Amino acid sequence: AIPPIISGDYECRVAIEGGVSCGAAMNIGAVADLDQAEAMAYAVGKNCAMQGRGVGTRWTFAPVADVNLNPDNPITNVRAFSDDPARVGALCAAFVRGCQEHGMAATLKHFPGDGMDSVDQHVCPSTIPLSLERWREVCAPPFQVGLDAGAWSVMMGHFLFPALDDRDTLTGELLPATISPAAHRLLREEFGFDGVIVSDAIRMGGLAWHSPDEADSVVRNLAAGSDMVLLPEQPATALRAILHAVDEGLLDEAALMQSVRRILMLKTKLGLHLPGWGLLSRDVAEELFTRPDNGPVRELAEASITLQRDNDAAYPAAFAPGDTVILFDLPQETPQGVKLVVAGQETVSDECAMAKALHERGLVPVIVNNPAEFREQSANAVAAIYRFQARPQAGRNSIRLAYQALQFIEQTREPYSLRRYFVSLGSPYILRELPALKNMAVIYASVPSTEKAYVRALLGEIPFTGKCPVNLHREYSL
């Protein structure tokens, strides 16, 4: 779904279904050769721009410029390209160019940088526990390279940055970057950025704990230096609060006019003042939405899927026509009552692309999701593929495997003759929790292209050529 479009008292919310997903940012990061990875990032940026323009969208809140150093960070994870600042920067720059050269404004996020601690800013403020010197070595380079590539906007995140020591004058509490003048000055002055700064969603817990209400958050965000506020639930109330703050001298009218100038400049770069404002023809748009197995989408999937363990020399898998293969979907913890959705948090489809790909090759896939079904089907099966679902999800505040998933693995060790394969449809870090499991692959995203590529690699039609873009064996260190 896209945010509401506000005009006076009119609100229109439009749900857009379909489209071709290229997977997660970490799919691009996992392409082993950096030159090829940059070409893929450019192609994905172009694909994003063209599909967006097909439905009238001209601004994307991507790419993620965060460096995922903490394996337990619950919300960055596969949304980041890598834990290597240089690789993250190079891929951000390529995505920005691919996106903006084809008519879509890109957004570097989340400034000053996520991926450092183990907290989800949808729930409470995350913390950047770095000195300014270390921050300039780790977090700043991807933003600098992305801005050098011409990114037109930057998203400010709900992060506490103790090194800036920017505190509330009344309470003495550290301010999240979204309402921190020091964080905005850092972006404007150190990077020389004069494009649009947009807040992360204003209702997220990372900011809401620091304001009495949404209207206060909006005013404080603009006063700190942002140009736009993302997703207020009460836009009319927010507008009245802004006007009142101007009257009371809490907001500087000249500064707001500078924000208007930046927003109008962004719209001008996109040609929104021109007839047709860059919409694609219906034919072009429909083709883009119906070609998941063509071009860069398939190339990226095949270049990124990664074989982390082949202990039994089990690949390629040898099956005979008519063989039954169990697909065991292991559970993931689900937060309750969370409405926010983050990039990479896919909805599980009724149609399993992995099952469809196996069926097309003459095999009989059987999908199960509990040990009882597994044991029932195992009598006739020759192999089982365990599918791990650990992916970033807003509000869960964890990226670890669900305890129930570990139980299910333990409860299905028999029959011992059954060949077993394990694949993560998201986080590669789960391998740290499962050191004894063999035959483990990572595809980083549960989308049709990656699931089909996994089947092709499993059966030896293509090689596993991806390389995990994060160090799974290094202890977390700042």
Side-chain angles (χ1 to χ4, degrees):
I2 63 172
I5 302 168
I6 305 298
S7 177
D9 295 327
Y10 173 72
E11 176 177 321
C12 175
R13 188 178 295 271
V14 182
I16 299 173
E17 297 180 356
V20 178
S21 173
C22 297
M26 204 168 277
N27 282 102
I28 303 173
V31 177
D33 179 77
L34 183 56
D35 289 340
Q36 184 185 9
E38 289 184 74
M40 289 285 95
Y42 182 93
V44 171
K46 175 182 176 181
N47 184 65
C48 176
M50 299 295 279
Q51 288 196 69
R53 287 173 57 192
V55 293
T57 301
R58 302 297 301 280
W59 189 14
T60 180
F61 293 146
V64 170
D66 303 320
V67 179
N68 197 73
L69 285 184
N70 190 338
D72 292 327
N73 186 284
I75 206 68
T76 303
N77 201 276
V78 295
R79 301 169 69 208
F81 290 113
S82 172
D83 62 3
D84 176 7
R87 177 169 278 253
V88 174
L91 299 181
C92 278
F95 180 94
V96 166
R97 288 192 296 269
C99 199
Q100 294 188 170
E101 288 174 11
H102 293 87
M104 173 83 80
T107 306
L108 299 171
K109 67 180 187 183
H110 309 77
F111 192 86
D114 199 358
M116 302 293 114
D117 68 2
S118 57
V119 173
D120 176 4
Q121 65 269 23
H122 293 85
V123 178
C124 57
S126 184
T127 299
I128 303 173
L130 306 177
S131 67
L132 275 173
E133 291 72 22
R134 183 64 175 147
W135 175 83
R136 290 187 176 100
E137 294 173 355
V138 175
C139 298
F143 287 98
Q144 184 65 70
V145 175
L147 291 174
D148 289 344
W152 291 335
S153 64
V154 173
M155 179 179 286
M156 193 70 67
H158 305 308
F159 311 123
L160 303 176
F161 194 0
L164 291 180
D165 197 31
D166 197 4
R167 298 178 180 272
D168 188 292
T169 55
L170 295 178
T171 66
E173 293 181 341
L174 285 170
L175 297 173
T178 27
I179 56 173
S180 164
H184 286 77
R185 286 196 299 270
L186 188 68
L187 178 56
R188 293 290 188 206
E189 296 173 6
E190 185 148 330
F191 294 86
F193 179 63
D194 193 36
V196 171
I197 298 178
V198 59
S199 75
D200 207 340
I202 206 74
R203 297 283 293 182
M204 289 166 60
L207 178 57
W209 284 104
H210 290 264
S211 289
D213 53 44
E214 178 182 280
D216 180 76
S217 294
V218 168
V219 170
R220 295 178 75 183
N221 179 250
L222 296 175
S226 282
D227 302 302
M228 298 188 72
V229 178
L230 179 62
L231 285 176
E233 291 190 356
Q234 302 293 331
T237 301
L239 179 58
R240 286 193 295 270
I242 292 169
L243 295 174
H244 179 73
V246 172
D247 291 339
E248 294 295 314
L250 301 175
L251 283 176
D252 179 58
E253 188 170 356
L256 291 181
M257 289 302 102
Q258 282 291 91
S259 292
V260 171
R261 179 190 63 81
R262 294 187 187 103
I263 294 165
L264 291 177
M265 284 297 297
L266 176 59
K267 292 182 176 183
T268 302
K269 289 174 182 176
L270 293 170
L272 300 189
H273 59 298
L274 301 174
W277 49 278
L279 279 172
L280 296 183
S281 71
R282 184 180 180 88
D283 290 343
V284 173
E286 287 183 348
E287 181 191 8
L288 286 166
F289 277 73
T290 55
R291 44 184 293 193
D293 292 320
N294 295 329
V297 178
R298 177 169 177 161
E299 286 180 50
L300 174 59
E302 294 186 348
S304 64
I305 56 173
T306 304
L307 182 59
Q308 284 297 126
R309 298 183 189 144
D310 187 13
N311 312 60
D312 292 337
Y315 302 91
F319 295 123
D323 280 350
T324 295
V325 179
I326 297 172
L327 298 182
F328 192 10
D329 276 333
L330 295 167
Q332 177 178 238
E333 295 174 344
T334 302
Q336 300 297 316
V338 174
K339 297 179 181 179
L340 288 168
V341 176
V342 298
Q345 179 186 327
E346 296 86 8
T347 301
V348 177
S349 170
D350 291 336
E351 180 177 310
C352 174
M354 195 176 292
K356 183 178 180 181
L358 290 168
H359 178 74
E360 289 171 349
R361 287 157 176 79
L363 302 174
V364 181
V366 178
I367 302 173
V368 304
N369 59 20
N370 64 71
E373 289 182 332
F374 185 99
R375 287 188 289 267
E376 180 181 342
Q377 296 295 335
S378 63
N380 300 314
V382 300
I385 300 173
Y386 289 67
R387 293 158 41 98
F388 296 94
Q389 308 286 344
R391 298 190 296 274
Q393 191 170 8
R396 191 174 62 237
N397 208 38
S398 172
I399 195 69
R400 306 288 294 273
L401 285 178
Y403 177 65
Q404 193 177 36
L406 299 174
Q407 285 183 312
F408 283 8
I409 296 170
E410 173 64 22
Q411 293 168 10
T412 56
R413 288 193 297 165
E414 297 181 13
Y416 294 110
S417 60
L418 194 68
R419 283 182 283 163
R420 287 170 170 80
Y421 302 88
F422 301 90
V423 56
S424 172
L425 309 185
S427 173
Y429 293 109
I430 65 166
L431 277 73
R432 295 162 60 100
E433 301 181 64
L434 303 166
L437 292 189
K438 302 176 180 180
N439 310 329
M440 175 73 80
V442 184
I443 65 174
Y444 308 101
S446 177
V447 296
S449 59
T450 56
E451 294 199 16
K452 292 176 182 179
Y454 171 76
V455 171
R456 289 193 287 270
L458 173 70
L459 300 180
E461 298 173 14
I462 59 172
F464 284 97
T465 58
K467 180 180 180 181
C468 186
V470 294
N471 191 326
L472 300 178
H473 308 292
R474 178 183 62 205
E475 288 302 314
Y476 170 50
S477 173
L478 295 175

